[in-house]
Amino acid sequence: MVWRVVEHGDRRWNVSVAAERRAHAAEWNLVFSFRCSGTDAQSVWVTYPISSASRGALFAQADKLSNDALAAALAERLG
């Protein structure tokens, strides 16, 4: 997934993707990093409910997610 920008509330968030595999686990989990800049700079990591045995397949699924889905995951994490 290419770096993206989503809006939530009145802030613009830069979104990056990562894959995380926990110890003794066979599958990779999809994780997004949301970062906003400015006077109230903030960084939030969100584990997304998609996993795969292949990192490549995981990133391909991330590419298919809409910006609205990413913004919704961020909104859920922020409460």
Side-chain angles (χ1 to χ4, degrees):
M1 181 181 102
V2 178
W3 168 74
R4 294 194 211 176
V5 176
V6 298
E7 294 195 22
H8 174 66
D10 60 348
R11 299 169 108 184
R12 293 176 57 111
W13 296 81
N14 296 322
V15 185
S16 300
V17 65
E20 174 185 66
R21 187 170 65 185
R22 298 195 172 122
H24 308 294
E27 294 199 335
W28 293 90
N29 297 306
L30 188 59
V31 181
F32 290 104
S33 168
F34 294 88
R35 299 175 194 273
C36 67
S37 58
T39 57
D40 295 334
Q42 188 175 1
S43 179
V44 178
W45 287 88
V46 176
T47 301
Y48 200 82
I50 295 178
S51 61
S52 175
S54 164
R55 280 180 32 182
L58 190 67
F59 292 140
Q61 291 179 49
D63 279 336
K64 296 177 183 176
L65 294 173
S66 69
N67 284 358
D68 290 339
L70 295 173
L74 174 62
E76 182 178 329
R77 171 68 171 79
L78 293 176

